[in-house]
Each structure stands twice: as structure tokens, then as C-alpha cells.
Amino acid sequence: DAEITQSPRHKITETGRQVTLACHQTWNHNNMFWYRQDLGHGLRLIHYSYGVQDTNKGEVSDGYSVSRSNTEDLPLTLESAASSQTSVYFCASRRGSSTDTQYFGPGTRLTVL
Amino acid sequence: QKEVEQNSGPLSVPEGAIASLNCTYSDRGSQSFFWYRQYSGKSPELIMFIYSNGDKEDGRFTAQLNKASQYVSLLIRDSQPSDSATYLCAVDGSARQLTFGSGTQLTVLP
């Protein structure tokens, strides 16, 4: 069965370190998204991609970057981790039309000390 | 004004009752509307979507859409304790991506 996976599932890091969260989907979806979820804020879009070599900033992109070298993967990099980036991160993918379902990965809980 | 607003809750209903979850949106170009359920510590999972005005039923769930009023709702009939979760409304707007509401936490009391 097609799926979307994230790794690691839990990560503890220190302020200032670079961190990369992996996202891999086997749906062959063009569209991939990264969200963070914090209490009181719901799901907020960080970055998204509509295809290979395409990346776009979302509403909370500062301090994050992504790259899309193939269809299956969209890694999220925190260039210099800050305590404000402690959150749960969800990757998602979607085929592309307005009626297509968006599927979420299991999430990564990141703690920045 | 938030693009997608949900009644903030928390909402509590007794087992067997109807739970009503509401969502309004601001983008008149929105075409599709999704309801996701999220259990604590888990990722969101799709319950159903709707894109035509009116009602759409799937088992105990009914989604209602009124584009003129920019309003979408989810009714859960015969609510069960297993329905206790946070429900997220998502709207596919003119930006080709989903915008999520903050969610409504539902508790079904046995």
C-alpha cells in the first residue's frame, strides 16, 4: 500500500544545531507540504512543493528550508534550531486536483533545548 | 479575520446524541471542503469532503455546504466515545492548497 513516512518520529536537539526532518511518500504525488502544529494555532504551513525542483514558502517559513530533488522526498531543514521551533511537524502529500485527498505522515515531535 | 474559522469548543455531547461542528471561510474562490479527524498524538485523517452545495452523507457523518453563506458543517449522528477527537475543517481555496481551521475538540460522554 502507498504511504507517507517521516523520520525521525522524535528528536531532541540543542539551540543552534542544524536539523533535517525526512518525509517520503510512495503515492507518486506531485504536491507535498510541511506543517507545524502547536496548541492554539492549528496546522500552519511552512513550505510546499508542486513538483521536482519547485519549492514555495508558506506562512511560517522563517528559519526553515526545503528541497525537492525527486517526487518521493521533501526534507525539511532547520538551519539553526531555536526553542520557538519546538513543535510537532507533519508532512503531507496530495495528487493535485481540488477534490483530491491530502494524506498526512505520522508526524515528528521536535524539541529544541 | 482568519481565513478558516471553527467553533473553538471544546464541545461535549452525550453518547448517542448528534454532534454539530461548524466552519466558516473567507475565500469565495474556495472549491472543496474537507473534514479531518485527529486523535490525540496522531496525524489528521480524512473523514469526508464536499464540493457541491447541499448535504453529503457517509454513514453516521453528514457534511453540509452553503457557498453563499461561506459555511460548511459536519454532523455526527449517534455519537460514540470513539468519536472523541479534534475535528479540523480544511478549505481548498484559490491558492491550490488546503487552509486549516484551528480545530474543534469533541468529547463524547459515555
Side-chain angles (χ1 to χ4, degrees):
Chain A
D1 284 347
E3 60 177 357
I4 179 167
T5 57
Q6 295 183 233
S7 63
R9 295 293 312 280
H10 302 271
K11 174 77 175 178
I12 299 174
T13 191
E14 295 177 343
T15 301
R17 290 191 180 268
Q18 184 180 79
V19 177
T20 296
L21 309 182
C23 174
H24 179 81
Q25 52 97 4
T26 59
W27 296 96
N28 201 35
H29 287 163
N30 286 326
N31 300 351
M32 296 185 72
F33 307 86
W34 273 104
Y35 298 88
R36 61 178 290 175
Q37 188 174 41
D38 307 284
L39 279 173
H41 289 281
L43 284 163
R44 291 186 290 175
L45 185 63
I46 304 172
H47 279 287
Y48 58 101
S49 169
Y50 289 144
V52 176
Q53 303 301 331
D54 176 75
T55 60
N56 305 279
K57 294 181 178 180
E59 63 175 301
V60 290
S61 62
D62 287 349
Y64 304 94
S65 63
V66 294
S67 60
R68 187 90 179 269
S69 59
N70 58 52
T71 301
E72 296 81 17
D73 299 290
L74 187 70
L76 176 71
T77 298
L78 286 69
E79 304 293 344
S80 177
S83 57
S84 60
Q85 294 176 309
T86 292
S87 187
V88 178
Y89 291 86
F90 289 104
C91 179
S93 74
R94 190 182 188 199
R95 189 170 62 178
S97 80
S98 62
T99 56
D100 286 328
T101 298
Q102 181 164 302
Y103 297 94
F104 285 85
T108 294
R109 182 174 295 276
L110 177 67
T111 302
V112 182
L113 301 176
Chain B
Q1 181 189 2
K2 285 187 179 179
E3 294 183 30
V4 179
E5 296 213 38
Q6 298 184 240
N7 42 342
S8 57
L11 176 66
S12 292
V13 299
E15 184 173 355
I18 296 175
S20 177
L21 305 164
N22 304 314
C23 176
T24 58
Y25 59 95
S26 60
D27 184 352
R28 285 197 172 273
S30 300
Q31 298 186 16
S32 301
F33 308 85
F34 300 79
W35 283 101
Y36 283 82
R37 177 177 61 200
Q38 186 176 24
Y39 292 115
S40 181
K42 301 294 186 181
S43 57
E45 56 179 347
L46 182 73
I47 299 174
M48 62 190 305
F49 74 90
I50 186 169
Y51 53 85
S52 298
N53 275 328
D55 295 358
K56 179 181 179 182
E57 188 174 315
D58 184 359
R60 295 186 295 112
F61 299 93
T62 299
Q64 300 174 318
L65 174 62
N66 183 325
K67 289 187 178 180
S69 301
Q70 296 175 247
Y71 176 90
V72 58
S73 66
L74 180 70
L75 301 178
I76 306 175
R77 292 183 301 281
D78 189 24
S79 296
Q80 302 297 309
S82 59
D83 295 325
S84 298
T86 296
Y87 290 80
L88 300 169
C89 172
V91 176
D92 187 301
S94 45
R96 293 169 57 201
Q97 59 190 236
L98 295 184
T99 301
F100 288 84
S102 297
T104 299
Q105 185 177 346
L106 172 67
T107 300
V108 181
L109 304 170

